[in-house]
């Protein structure tokens, strides 16, 4: 026996898609702080800086223990000078002055409140901030021109900023299933996004829809939307056609990480679950968020964001992988494919530049295998 033998320290891999990142981890006191700085960088459209903070946070999420001293960070990848400085301050003083002043700043708070409106991105929020607006409530008296999405975003601000529970997601799942089965028997519906990764709460509910018979899924979305609308279940919807075949820039190279599937960004009118009405913890009428439309007491429904995506069967594995997230995990998968494998990954396909051909896959497992990665299940993709 060797008395001093210890288990060799697991070396943390540098890409998030090479690691297992569970939903619950041990370092929220650090990752929350780093993610404030990441979000602030996004507000000033500094993507490089934002990703750097998100990568640092993600490394800490994958650690199997609490970070207690700077020594615990020895040999960890992705921790830049700035992140290390912030972590050190929190370990020594309990808080980071930079993070706290960011959190308190008028600009950060206003940008957060304004981008929390559905349909409002950083550009618009920044313009409004410079015009003196600070919250969605300011939008009404100033008579800002709002597009349809933003009008719905303002109208349902309270509901849309009240997290969706898993129970609500399941009820919506049943509704979507019913709608899809009614208009296309044999279709397959998968819950994607955060709920597939095991989250208890989400900002929306994401679904991917396909049919084993290639082509049967074409122009399916308008039928689903019609069915839902006829049942009075939609408060808002914007359907976008599949533009994959018309695209000139090649399937695996979309202009951004936006894909080209037929899709629908919607807001469902969800009947209140019996157990959630008349409870103290219910957020309705709680006045928690700045709302713009008074909800009458005893209202029996709430607004919930739902994303629907339709994919051809041959692309279903790629679409499933691409819509399960997390966003950082997706970004890291694409970076791994490009930088380490000379491949190009999208939610439609995987292209191998060396072999100059597309690699087919019928499951997420096969895609990981093509990429030379160990399979990571959805519940460990919470990077
Ligand atoms: P949350 O809703 O609980 O906040 O978390 P989430 O489910 O992880 O976030 P999400 O914003 O709903 O995004 C779910 C996944 O969908 C995420 O991995 C990113 C992906 N996704 C979009 N838009 C697009 C897009 O246009 N193309 C592709 N390929 N993926 C997208 O959100
Ligand atoms: Mn989601
Ligand atoms: Mn979504």
């Amino acid at each position: 026996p060797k008395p001093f033998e210890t288990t060799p320290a697991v070396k943390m891999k540098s890409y998030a898609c090479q690691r297992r990142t569970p939903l619950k981890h041990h370092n929220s006191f650090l990752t929350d702080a780093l993610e404030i700085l990441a979000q602030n960088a996004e507000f000033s459209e500094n993507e490089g800086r934002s990703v750097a903070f998100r990568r640092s946070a993600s490394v800490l999420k994958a650690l199997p223990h609490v970070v207690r001293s700077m020594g615990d960070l020895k040999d960890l990848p992705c921790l830049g000078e700035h992140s290390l400085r912030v972590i050190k301050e929190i370990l020594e003083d309990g808080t980071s002055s930079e993070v706290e002043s960011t959190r308190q700043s008028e600009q950060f708070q206003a940008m957060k409140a304004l981008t929390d409106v559905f349909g409002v991105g950083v550009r618009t929020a920044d313009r409004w901030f410079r015009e003196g607006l600070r919250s969605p409530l300011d939008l009404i008296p100033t008579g800002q021109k709002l597009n349809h999405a933003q009008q719905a975003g303002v109208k349902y601000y309270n509901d849309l900023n009240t997290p969706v529970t898993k129970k609500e997601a399941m009820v919506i799942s049943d509704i979507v299933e019913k709608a899809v089965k009614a208009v296309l028997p044999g279709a397959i519906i998968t819950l994607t996004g955060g709920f597939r990764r095991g989250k208890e709460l989400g900002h929306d509910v994401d679904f991917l829809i396909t049919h084993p018979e290639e082509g049967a899924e074409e122009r399916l979305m308008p039928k689903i939307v019609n069915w839902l609308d006829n049942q009075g279940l939609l408060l808002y919807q914007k359907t976008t056609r599949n533009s994959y075949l018309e695209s000139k820039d090649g399937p695996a190279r979309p202009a951004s990480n936006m894909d080209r599937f037929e899709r629908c960004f919607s807001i469902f009118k969800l009947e209140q679950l019996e157990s959630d009405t008349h409870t103290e913890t219910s957020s309705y009428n709680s006045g928690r968020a700045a709302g713009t439309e008074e909800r009458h007491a005893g209202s029996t429904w709430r607004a919930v964001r739902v994303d629907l995506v339709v994919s051809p069967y041959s692309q279903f594995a790629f679409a499933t992988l691409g819509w399960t997230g997390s966003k950082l995990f997706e970004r890291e998968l694409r970076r791994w494919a490009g930088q380490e494998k000379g491949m190009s990954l999208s939610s439609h396909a995987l292209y191998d530049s060396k072999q100059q051909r597309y690699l087919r896959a019928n499951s997420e497992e096969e895609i990981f295998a093509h990429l030379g990665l160990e399979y990571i299940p959805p519940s460990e993709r919470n990077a």
Side-chain angles (χ1 to χ4, degrees):
K2 302 171 197 162
F4 297 112
E5 193 176 46
T6 53
T7 45
V10 182
K11 195 158 188 312
M12 173 96 60
K13 298 279 193 10
S14 66
Y15 287 80
C17 55
Q18 296 175 287
R19 308 187 291 254
R20 293 175 178 268
T21 312
L23 191 60
K24 297 207 174 87
H25 61 89
H26 311 275
N27 293 293
S28 309
F29 73 112
L30 296 173
T31 60
D32 289 352
L34 292 168
E35 283 173 346
I36 291 282
L37 298 182
Q39 191 170 35
N40 196 46
E42 269 147 37
F43 290 158
S44 43
E45 294 189 77
N46 192 337
E47 204 192 351
R49 190 177 159 96
S50 152
V51 173
F53 283 128
R54 292 212 185 272
R55 281 206 195 108
S56 301
S58 184
V59 163
L60 304 183
K61 291 180 191 178
L63 281 178
H65 56 78
V66 183
V67 173
R68 296 189 196 284
S69 73
M70 293 305 279
D72 292 346
L73 305 176
K74 198 160 56 71
D75 301 331
L76 291 182
C78 305
L79 297 175
E81 191 194 328
H82 197 154
S83 294
L84 285 171
R85 201 186 329 132
V86 170
I87 295 168
K88 185 160 185 276
E89 212 184 334
I90 296 174
L91 291 177
E92 287 171 359
D93 309 340
T95 58
S96 145
S97 51
E98 185 184 1
V99 173
E100 292 320 309
S101 67
T102 301
R103 238 196 262 271
Q104 302 304 324
S105 88
E106 185 180 32
Q107 179 156 12
F108 179 81
Q109 290 185 0
M111 286 297 286
K112 172 114 182 61
L114 293 170
T115 55
D116 274 349
V117 179
F118 170 62
V120 177
V122 165
R123 294 267 165 86
T124 304
D126 186 62
R127 194 182 70 238
W128 287 342
F129 178 76
R130 284 185 281 105
E131 289 172 15
L133 277 68
R134 295 295 176 263
S135 99
L137 287 168
D138 299 338
L139 288 166
I140 296 154
T142 53
Q144 291 287 331
K145 279 214 180 70
L146 302 178
N147 63 31
H148 285 129
Q150 293 163 348
Q151 284 172 29
V154 170
K155 195 163 167 187
Y156 305 116
Y157 188 84
N158 277 344
D159 277 1
L160 299 186
N161 285 291
T162 301
V164 185
T165 64
K166 194 183 263 176
K167 223 159 69 184
E168 288 171 325
M170 289 310 130
V171 173
I172 290 170
S173 236
D174 288 344
I175 295 170
V176 170
E177 188 117 352
K178 211 167 150 199
V180 174
K181 294 274 157 76
V183 298
L184 182 64
I188 299 165
I189 300 114
T190 310
L191 182 66
T192 57
F195 286 111
R196 182 161 185 253
R197 301 197 309 275
K199 282 178 68 173
E200 291 291 331
L201 297 171
H203 100 282
D204 67 357
V205 195
D206 307 283
F207 295 95
L208 179 63
I209 301 153
T210 190
H211 191 284
E213 200 180 300
E214 190 90 355
E217 82 294 341
E218 273 172 45
R219 306 298 292 141
L220 173 59
M221 196 69 86
K223 294 180 197 156
I224 301 172
V225 167
N226 250 322
W227 192 95
L228 292 167
D229 204 25
N230 286 337
Q231 307 277 319
L233 292 166
L234 292 182
L235 296 165
Y236 166 89
Q237 69 87 16
K238 182 168 172 28
T239 301
T240 314
R241 286 193 55 165
N242 183 330
S243 59
Y244 184 67
L245 293 171
E246 301 134 48
S247 68
K248 295 201 189 80
D249 51 352
R253 295 207 158 275
S256 65
N257 65 349
M258 285 297 279
D259 61 48
R260 301 171 177 285
F261 292 119
E262 193 178 32
R263 75 171 69 193
C264 178
F265 296 125
S266 74
I267 301 176
F268 271 44
K269 181 174 179 175
L270 179 69
E271 281 306 316
Q272 271 288 89
L273 307 184
E274 196 52 54
S275 56
D276 290 349
T277 45
H278 321 296
T279 61
E280 294 273 350
T281 51
S282 168
S283 57
Y284 312 107
N285 313 311
S286 69
R288 184 187 60 84
T292 57
E293 190 172 79
E294 283 302 319
R295 171 183 292 285
H296 337 159
S299 169
T300 61
W301 58 270
R302 67 163 286 193
V304 178
R305 275 271 299 114
V306 175
D307 284 340
L308 304 172
V309 181
V310 170
S311 114
Y313 200 62
S314 59
Q315 298 171 19
F316 188 59
F318 297 99
T320 307
L321 180 59
W323 279 85
T324 297
S326 68
K327 289 205 175 86
L328 184 69
F329 192 89
E330 301 293 335
R331 175 187 268 275
E332 292 281 276
L333 271 175
R334 291 192 296 269
R335 190 167 71 95
W336 167 270
Q339 294 189 352
E340 306 295 328
K341 295 284 154 179
M343 294 182 188
S344 173
L345 174 70
S346 75
S347 294
H348 298 277
L350 177 62
Y351 184 76
D352 185 330
S353 309
K354 261 179 276 159
Q355 300 185 54
Q356 300 199 8
R357 67 180 186 99
Y358 288 97
L359 305 178
R360 302 194 144 273
N362 290 313
S363 65
E364 291 182 311
E365 283 87 344
E366 286 176 50
I367 304 173
F368 280 88
H370 281 319
L371 290 168
L373 290 169
E374 183 198 335
Y375 177 69
I376 310 286
S379 61
E380 315 235 47
R381 295 181 204 159
N382 290 292

